Amino acid sequence: MNRTIFLPVAFAAVLATGAASAETLRWANDGDVLTLDPYAHTESFTASFLHHIYEPLMRRDADLKFEPALATSWELVEPTRARFTLREGVTFQNGNPFTADDVVASVERLIHPDARARGNLSSVASAEKVDDLTVDLVLKEPSPLLLNDLSGVYIMDKEWMEEHDALLPGNTSTGAVTYASDHANGTGPFMLDSRTPDAKTVLKANPDWWDEPQHNIDTIEFTPIGSDATRVAALLSGEVDVITPAPLQDTQRLEAADGVEVLQNPSLRTIMLGLNHGDDELDAAPGTGVNPTKDVRVREALWRAIDMDAIVAKVMRGKARVAALMIAPPITGYVAEDDVKPAFDPQKAKDLLAEAGFGDGFTMGLDCPNDRYVNDEEICLAIASMWKAIGVDVKLTAQTKGNHFPKVDKGETDAYMIGWATLPAMDGYSPLRAMLATRDGDMGGNNPNGYSNPRMDELAVASGSEIDEEKRLAMISEAMRIARDDIAFIPLHQQPLSWAASDNVELIQFPDNYFRAWHYKVN
Amino acid sequence: MIGFIVRRLAQALVVMAAIALISFLMFRYVGDPVAVMAREDASVTERQELREKLGLDRPVVVQFVDFIGRVVQGDLGISYRNQRPVADLIKERLPATLELVMMATLLSLAIGIPLGVITAVNRTGWLPTLVQSVSLVGISVPTFVTGIMLILVFAVTLRWLPSFGRGDTVQIGWWTTGLLTISGLKALILPSLTLALYQMTLIMRLVRAEMIEVLSSDYVRFARARGLPARMIHYKLALKNALMPVITITGMQIGGLIAFAVVTETVFQWPGLGLLFIQAVSFADVPVMAAYLLLVGLLFVVLNALVDIAYLVLDPRLRTRAS
Amino acid sequence: MSERGQQTGLGRAFVRSPKALISATGALVLIAAAYLAPFIAPHTPFELGSFSLMDSELPPAFLPGGDPRFLLGTDMQGRDVFSAILFGTRISLTVGIAAVLFSAAVGTLIGLLAGFRGGLVDAVLMRVADVILSFPTILIALLISGVARTLFPLATSGTAAILVLIFAISINEWTQYARTVRGQTLVEKGLDYVQAARISGVGESAILRRHILPNVLSPVIVIATINLALAVLAEATLSFLGVGMPPTSPSLGTLIRIGNENLFSGIWWVVVFPAAALVLLVLCVNLFGDWLRDALNPRLD
């Protein structure tokens, strides 16, 4: 599959452009916005929604490159000091002017120990005001991903926080709640009009937005609809204009409906299977005293036994992109030449098992969520069946994410499904640090099953503070290559983004699955 | 009689304490909030910090005592999911669920009672047979299937009624009501019908059974013999006597309806307590789950106690026995 | 009426009632088909490796594009829908029947004890029933299966999931039997012949077994029949909510849940046939229970 498919695809408008004013966009998503407090959550959908109200210092443009937002320029004055020049004449939605004080107060609020999202800016030690429109960020160590991190840090208004006693983030354990969790005041293209959690949140266009509006939307009416069938029904009955996501299996029905269009593109999220590298025996086969998956030949056999083309064609309705690397093409560190996987070959797989001494097969567990990724349960069922065909007896468990991920984290699984999108950084350092480095307090937070390769650990440490972008990318690419050759994980595919909308709405779908209504039009 | 009420209330308190303990202990095992709350690529240290911050590293007993201590003071804690006070969340959702349950109850009474009388009075013929058979199909179809079928027919195909949500609501104090707007009333029809279907059948069958019994009793025969008009015998004499158990069952079933609303609310995206609960389950949001169970338990206990007391007030024979 | 007389009366009434005949026959056919599934099902849909993605989403054999190997078509994984329904019905029925037997046994025993002993035993048992009654079946089952999954990581595999479901459904249902049996026991206990037996020194357990138990059985049987329908529905609802049977050994509820996700996709046969099977099963059991209730006419609490 070629790369161009990842470029945002503009949605063709069928109807002629109507009046440019008083347009309403009715949008239904499968989950609600968790909170309006930008530092009190770690969920990318909530971040995407809040981006309409709040803005970062630099944002991603239509091609997902950085472009100036609240900061107009930036430079490294020292390896651990970055200087930002702020945009002049920007006001918050309550009329307060935007200044360096707001940036300092926001950064301090985010890196406060009580802030749920403080890990998103872990490289920053403090923020210092230089003058009204200049701010310095002091770093703990040189950080190549500072801009990536900052693009997810929304700036709040200091005076507003002071006025409403919201300078500190909320704290679940002390019971401190903050005004900011159900009120909002940013600099963004839309402002909060009303919110009833789980029912409806209404945004109005911000008439004083600093940027030239490309959209013609006056009102966004947002409704969460959790049930797939009901969400599709709401679009088909004309009660909403856009649904995110649109279930893959309903694509045909939606495309056949009058005035409905479906948008599908590969996302950044790579779905993969984690494997058991560390235990002396498999969790699903206690008493056997042997862990076949420690042997790379067994891991290769498992990979070769999976018919990805069939899974993509049948389970993913042709809408996923088969992967051999743990990161998707748009992510920095991706090298197309390396993205080649061992071919599907059940006979070779059986031979490999025999070579490794497991010609009679063995028993292992496979754990999957059933409500986290696109058709997660169905993919696992298909894989279990394919592994069975080479003699591996699979104990399949599919359960809700609240039970699945703790089990994975405790290392109680043999093979498990996990998806990785590297958001908000969109950089290959994220899986390197979290999934491939040996687990200790800081690194390997998502490497629960004992994968360990000294070269990988070196690369993780070195690339974390390498400022030379070329060298850094080389390190990440090397790490991804090693992961593929070691078969640390079995990458499956990049799952698709799937939205559906009535055809009078012009949408752009971004690979990071962010909804950016300031690029959209209602005709 | 006052002694009976006091004793009944004391029992209710004990029952509540047991409910609190059970629900709390159970939630310790239903998923791990840290795994859902932490950033995707959080380090081990980061997760451990979060666990400590939530107080999840303490022994379960300490956590329970802490929890009860706060609940007694009226503090239900903070939701893990969106860091808002659980009491606020419940206050926001309660009107939606109560209006749904109330409408479902009214519907089931308004349709169930007449059907019950008709089928009891005319025990043969095509109409009662039809009603009986349809009612059996009614309790044999699972709620989730009924809901989706109604959406397909009335929202997608006919486009008469909305497929989700409450429509426009009006705020009266902290109570939001959908009963005062056209769109609110329209939005109420499908979910309340779905929820009412089972209840309706139950009431119909109960009324029928009671009516048949009452109709064969001596005083009805006597009334017939005296030549009272059939309509008067059926609706004034017999129905009045048959209604007592109906009221009891309806009262006791309200709690069940609130629980069953979990399914209905999921299908229709009805922003009530059931939806809140299901979301809390998938997020392992312990404070919300515990509060919900306490509330449902409280409703059950109160309704049970009220029914007992109502019996006492209404039925003099029981009154003498109790005292 | 003597015991024997009551039985032949019931038998005669059964033969004369078309409702009873039809529902009982329907239920028996479904039960037989379900338990004979390993012999009559053309495929073994839950055996991993026995089906192929390449056969997925074939329409029923009698429609254009259908494959004669698959009478009612195939699902998204290429499994035979007809075989899946047979095996699924077996699981649904097993859960339902076991839950009913378990809760009826426990409930009857507790009801007898509470009614016969009275006093503290009665008060404690009935308050326990209150606590349990204040948790609706669905909630309690949601919680129990959640707890079981965490405590026993393998609880999500077929057999363990069945046990969890049986327990989760019975824990709420026994209270109904207990209350009814207790009421009936209270009445019987006061009757002259029981008093007489007591005075003449007959042991407590003998009185319970010989005199009281036979008299409380008919309401128990009626409740059990109705509850079988309820238990099958409860299992379906739990599986629909995703906490019931796993997709590797699906019950009717699991099949409907998976099919429901494909409601708009055009492959209607994966949801319509399992749903029809479920409704038919529950309907037959309900009809039979209805007839039994009229025929036995017990006082139900």
Side-chain angles (χ1 to χ4, degrees):
Chain A
M1 207 169 284
N2 70 37
R3 243 197 101 150
T4 52
I5 196 146
F6 281 96
L7 293 175
V9 179
F11 206 33
V14 173
L15 297 174
T17 310
S21 63
E23 297 295 354
T24 298
L25 180 68
R26 295 164 306 164
W27 165 32
N29 183 60
D30 65 344
D32 196 14
V33 182
L34 287 183
T35 169
L36 296 179
D37 187 333
Y39 309 155
H41 71 92
T42 57
E43 197 206 48
S44 58
F45 172 72
T46 302
S48 152
F49 186 90
L50 292 181
H51 203 335
H52 292 87
I53 304 173
Y54 288 105
E55 289 176 308
L57 292 178
M58 67 281 309
R59 64 184 180 191
R60 303 240 182 209
D61 65 13
D63 296 322
L64 299 186
K65 301 266 181 293
F66 296 123
E67 70 173 4
L70 293 181
T72 50
S73 65
W74 48 86
E75 59 174 334
L76 269 185
V77 286
E78 287 166 39
T80 57
R81 178 177 287 265
R83 178 158 296 172
F84 295 84
T85 309
L86 305 181
R87 191 177 292 278
E88 234 184 308
V90 175
T91 55
F92 284 96
Q93 287 150 3
N94 65 354
N96 287 349
F98 162 70
T99 67
D101 291 325
D102 299 315
V103 178
V104 172
S106 295
V107 169
E108 280 171 357
R109 189 174 190 271
L110 175 57
I111 62 180
H112 188 277
D114 283 349
R116 179 80 52 86
R118 74 195 187 92
N120 285 346
L121 198 59
S122 51
S123 58
V124 171
S126 65
E128 290 169 10
K129 173 181 176 176
V130 177
D131 62 46
D132 264 0
L133 290 175
T134 313
V135 171
D136 279 1
L137 292 186
V138 182
L139 310 178
K140 293 175 188 160
E141 55 178 1
S143 169
L145 292 178
L146 180 64
L147 294 189
N148 303 52
D149 290 345
L150 283 174
S151 69
V153 175
Y154 301 147
I155 303 302
M156 301 173 74
D157 176 14
K158 186 184 182 201
E159 287 83 11
W160 181 77
M161 290 191 285
E162 273 170 350
E163 186 185 335
H164 299 291
D165 196 19
L167 271 174
L168 294 180
N171 181 325
T172 317
S173 50
T174 60
V177 287
T178 134
Y179 182 80
S181 59
D182 37 22
H183 300 81
N185 172 42
T187 57
F190 293 89
M191 39 196 205
L192 182 70
D193 183 66
S194 68
R195 168 162 166 83
T196 315
D198 282 334
K200 194 195 262 185
T201 303
V202 180
L203 301 181
K204 293 270 184 209
N206 176 6
D208 302 321
W209 192 34
W210 55 269
D211 200 1
E212 187 71 34
Q214 305 293 314
H215 67 88
N216 69 343
I217 298 164
D218 179 63
T219 307
I220 299 176
E221 274 182 28
F222 170 79
T223 317
I225 303 182
S227 154
D228 279 351
T230 312
R231 195 166 60 255
V232 171
L235 178 67
L236 290 176
S237 63
E239 292 166 83
V240 298
D241 303 314
V242 186
I243 56 171
T244 56
L248 282 188
Q249 51 271 23
D250 299 342
T251 306
Q252 249 186 332
R253 171 74 174 83
L254 286 166
E255 278 172 343
D258 271 349
V260 172
E261 296 279 342
V262 181
L263 260 85
Q264 283 165 337
N265 287 294
S267 70
L268 298 179
R269 193 172 295 280
T270 307
I271 303 299
M272 43 200 145
L273 298 179
L275 296 167
N276 193 333
H277 300 269
D279 293 351
D280 290 330
E281 59 183 20
L282 291 174
D283 290 286
T288 52
V290 57
N291 176 355
T293 54
K294 271 186 172 178
D295 189 324
V296 72
R297 289 171 295 187
V298 173
R299 301 202 292 270
E300 188 184 333
L302 292 175
W303 199 349
R304 284 188 180 273
I306 301 175
D307 184 356
M308 275 316 297
D309 292 336
I311 290 182
V312 168
K314 297 289 184 174
V315 182
M316 305 303 286
R317 320 268 155 171
K319 303 297 182 191
R321 178 190 172 280
V322 177
L325 293 177
M326 292 169 70
I327 50 177
I331 292 171
T332 40
Y334 174 85
V335 176
E337 298 83 73
D338 293 342
D339 201 358
V340 180
K341 77 181 199 66
F344 164 63
D345 187 344
Q347 190 48 50
K348 179 97 190 274
K350 279 187 201 160
D351 295 346
L352 282 165
L353 283 187
E355 218 175 284
F358 297 98
D360 297 332
F362 58 94
T363 300
M364 73 183 287
L366 173 61
D367 275 88
C368 293
N370 60 13
D371 52 4
R372 178 65 185 89
Y373 308 118
V374 178
N375 293 345
D376 37 18
E377 185 176 310
E378 288 81 2
I379 297 169
C380 285
L381 198 50
I383 290 176
S385 190
M386 291 166 183
W387 281 353
K388 176 85 187 178
I390 61 161
V392 178
D393 189 18
V394 181
K395 299 261 178 284
L396 175 62
T397 304
Q399 54 185 343
T400 176
K401 54 184 185 256
N403 288 330
H404 172 74
F405 290 107
K407 189 177 174 191
V408 168
D409 190 45
K410 281 184 245 160
E412 291 171 355
T413 53
D414 299 329
Y416 59 92
M417 181 180 267
I418 186 164
W420 209 258
T422 77
L423 291 174
M426 294 191 211
D427 188 275
Y429 177 62
S430 156
L432 170 54
R433 172 200 159 100
M435 306 172 80
L436 295 169
T438 307
R439 192 176 233 195
D440 61 18
D442 183 41
M443 297 264 188
N446 291 78
N447 177 10
N449 272 352
Y451 172 71
S452 184
N453 180 331
R455 176 63 187 154
M456 196 67 95
D457 293 339
E458 275 171 44
L459 289 169
V461 172
S463 64
S465 55
E466 178 55 65
I467 297 296
D468 185 327
E469 186 65 1
E470 204 170 315
K471 282 187 193 161
R472 194 182 73 87
L473 288 183
M475 291 181 197
I476 289 175
S477 306
E478 185 187 343
M480 293 303 133
R481 216 160 31 236
I482 297 175
R484 185 200 60 188
D485 295 340
D486 276 356
I487 317 186
F489 287 78
I490 298 179
L492 300 174
H493 58 243
Q494 271 95 38
Q495 68 177 18
L497 303 173
S498 177
W499 299 355
S502 65
D503 56 15
N504 63 332
V505 183
E506 269 179 73
L507 297 174
I508 302 174
Q509 196 172 38
F510 301 91
D512 61 356
N513 206 18
Y514 269 42
F515 198 83
R516 294 181 170 91
W518 57 94
H519 290 294
Y520 303 162
K521 281 201 172 78
V522 178
N523 298 317
Chain B
M1 177 157 167
I2 290 179
F4 173 81
I5 293 175
V6 169
R7 219 165 42 237
R8 196 68 193 71
L9 289 179
Q11 284 174 352
L13 270 182
V14 174
V15 170
M16 277 309 293
I19 292 174
L21 180 66
I22 293 172
S23 55
F24 187 83
L25 290 180
M26 281 184 160
F27 289 138
R28 292 292 102 201
Y29 299 101
V30 186
D32 178 5
V34 173
V36 196
M37 281 163 71
R39 291 181 321 123
E40 197 171 65
D41 51 1
S43 64
V44 177
T45 322
E46 217 176 309
R47 280 171 220 246
Q48 188 51 33
E49 269 173 27
L50 183 57
R51 196 174 303 276
E52 280 162 24
K53 196 146 282 166
L54 296 175
L56 296 172
D57 55 331
R58 301 171 300 165
V60 173
V61 181
V62 176
Q63 293 184 45
F64 178 66
V65 170
D66 185 51
F67 169 73
I68 287 293
R70 287 205 228 168
V71 167
V72 168
Q73 294 165 31
D75 177 6
L76 293 171
I78 306 290
S79 156
Y80 292 167
R81 178 167 166 257
N82 57 16
Q83 298 190 5
R84 297 182 61 221
V86 175
D88 286 3
L89 293 175
I90 293 206
K91 224 164 71 178
E92 279 165 14
R93 301 322 195 266
L94 191 64
T97 296
L98 286 186
E99 285 187 358
L100 176 63
V101 167
M102 195 190 74
M103 189 53 90
T105 306
L106 284 180
L107 268 179
S108 53
L109 288 174
I111 301 176
I113 293 179
L115 286 182
V117 173
I118 291 169
T119 47
V121 173
N122 318 305
R123 293 181 64 180
T124 51
W126 64 270
L127 183 66
T129 316
L130 182 76
V131 171
Q132 281 273 81
S133 326
V134 170
S135 83
L136 271 174
V137 176
I139 55 169
S140 305
V141 182
T143 318
F144 52 89
V145 174
T146 325
I148 290 162
M149 290 304 143
L150 288 177
I151 290 180
L152 275 180
V153 175
F154 291 100
V156 177
T157 311
L158 297 172
R159 297 202 177 193
W160 290 349
L161 297 166
S163 55
F164 70 93
R166 280 185 89 188
D168 297 326
T169 52
V170 177
Q171 189 99 18
I172 304 173
W174 61 270
W175 188 277
T176 54
T177 179
L179 299 176
L180 299 177
T181 61
I182 299 288
S183 79
L185 287 171
K186 276 170 86 174
L188 194 55
I189 297 175
L190 293 185
S192 55
L193 198 64
T194 309
L195 188 58
L197 214 58
Y198 184 78
Q199 183 82 345
M200 199 184 289
T201 320
L202 195 76
I203 287 177
M204 188 207 107
R205 294 159 71 85
L206 195 68
V207 169
R208 176 174 174 271
E210 292 292 330
M211 281 290 286
I212 289 174
E213 192 161 315
V214 174
L215 284 176
S216 61
S217 67
D218 289 341
Y219 71 89
V220 170
R221 281 193 217 136
F222 182 64
R224 275 216 183 101
R226 269 180 54 197
L228 283 176
R231 179 172 292 269
M232 177 152 175
I233 295 174
H234 295 157
Y235 288 92
K236 274 209 116 162
L237 276 175
L239 183 60
K240 215 168 110 188
N241 280 291
L243 274 187
M244 187 66 192
V246 173
I247 290 166
T248 318
I249 296 281
T250 310
M252 286 174 54
Q253 283 283 321
I254 286 181
L257 278 183
I258 289 180
F260 247 92
V262 171
V263 179
T264 317
E265 289 182 7
T266 312
V267 172
F268 288 95
Q269 189 66 34
W270 190 260
L273 290 173
L275 197 61
L276 182 71
F277 178 72
I278 281 290
Q279 283 164 345
V281 169
S282 72
F283 205 87
D285 194 345
V286 177
V288 173
M289 287 193 281
Y292 175 80
L293 267 216
L294 274 181
L295 187 75
V296 172
L298 182 70
L299 270 169
F300 254 91
V301 168
V302 168
L303 285 171
N304 264 334
L306 281 182
V307 166
D308 281 1
I309 293 169
Y311 255 90
L312 197 67
V313 174
L314 292 174
D315 192 335
R317 280 171 303 170
L318 282 174
R319 204 181 306 163
T320 47
R321 212 191 297 165
S323 57
Chain C
M1 209 190 288
S2 75
E3 194 101 315
R4 179 171 299 269
Q6 196 178 354
Q7 272 169 17
T8 49
L10 199 62
R12 207 171 297 142
F14 178 79
V15 180
R16 277 197 204 132
S17 158
K19 181 170 157 189
L21 277 175
I22 293 173
S23 62
T25 315
L28 281 178
V29 167
L30 284 169
I31 292 172
Y35 283 94
L36 295 176
F39 306 105
I40 56 177
H43 299 266
T44 48
F46 308 144
E47 187 120 330
L48 293 173
S50 74
F51 47 90
S52 160
L53 269 184
M54 291 305 146
D55 293 329
S56 71
E57 301 183 8
L58 293 171
F62 47 84
L63 289 180
D67 184 317
R69 283 180 298 156
F70 307 109
L71 180 61
L72 300 180
T74 59
D75 69 359
M76 297 67 69
Q77 297 281 345
R79 292 183 293 195
D80 179 36
V81 170
F82 177 62
S83 309
I85 289 176
L86 289 179
F87 281 96
T89 310
R90 185 163 77 147
I91 292 177
S92 292
L93 269 173
T94 306
V95 171
I97 292 173
V100 163
L101 288 181
F102 186 62
S103 53
V106 171
T108 308
L109 196 70
I110 289 180
L112 283 173
L113 261 180
F116 199 73
R117 288 275 172 81
L120 191 63
V121 178
D122 182 30
V124 170
L125 286 175
M126 286 302 109
R127 287 296 83 75
V128 171
D130 271 358
V131 174
I132 286 177
L133 266 182
S134 41
F135 291 101
T137 311
I138 292 295
L139 285 189
I140 248 189
L142 264 176
L143 293 176
I144 289 190
S145 61
V147 172
R149 271 151 199 268
T150 320
L151 290 185
F152 318 105
L154 289 177
T156 41
S157 68
T159 338
I162 289 187
L163 291 179
V164 168
L165 278 173
I166 292 171
F167 182 67
I169 293 170
S170 344
I171 198 166
N172 197 281
E173 306 279 279
W174 66 265
T175 50
Q176 237 184 317
Y177 302 93
R179 291 191 152 198
T180 309
V181 170
R182 171 181 172 270
Q184 199 76 22
T185 310
L186 279 177
V187 175
E188 299 286 334
K189 190 171 82 170
L191 295 183
D192 291 344
Y193 76 101
V194 176
Q195 299 291 3
R198 255 190 167 170
I199 292 166
S200 59
V202 180
E204 214 171 70
S205 68
I207 294 181
L208 278 176
R209 217 172 42 236
R210 274 189 229 142
H211 299 290
I212 298 186
L213 187 60
N215 284 301
V216 300
L217 268 189
S218 68
V220 166
I221 289 170
V222 173
I223 297 178
T225 323
I226 296 166
N227 274 8
L228 176 60
L230 285 177
V232 170
L233 279 183
E235 187 282 325
T237 307
L238 285 173
S239 293
F240 178 75
L241 290 175
V243 295
M245 294 303 295
T248 39
S249 43
S251 66
L252 286 178
T254 319
L255 291 176
I256 297 173
R257 172 172 71 86
I258 298 171
N260 184 47
E261 287 164 8
N262 292 275
L263 196 66
F264 291 100
S265 64
I267 50 169
W268 51 270
W269 54 91
V270 300
V271 61
V272 168
F273 292 130
L278 177 70
V279 171
L280 205 63
L281 175 65
V282 176
L283 187 63
C284 285
V285 173
N286 265 333
L287 267 173
F288 185 71
D290 205 40
W291 170 81
L292 200 63
R293 184 220 300 261
D294 286 349
L296 290 175
N297 193 23
R299 278 300 302 170
L300 296 177
D301 194 12

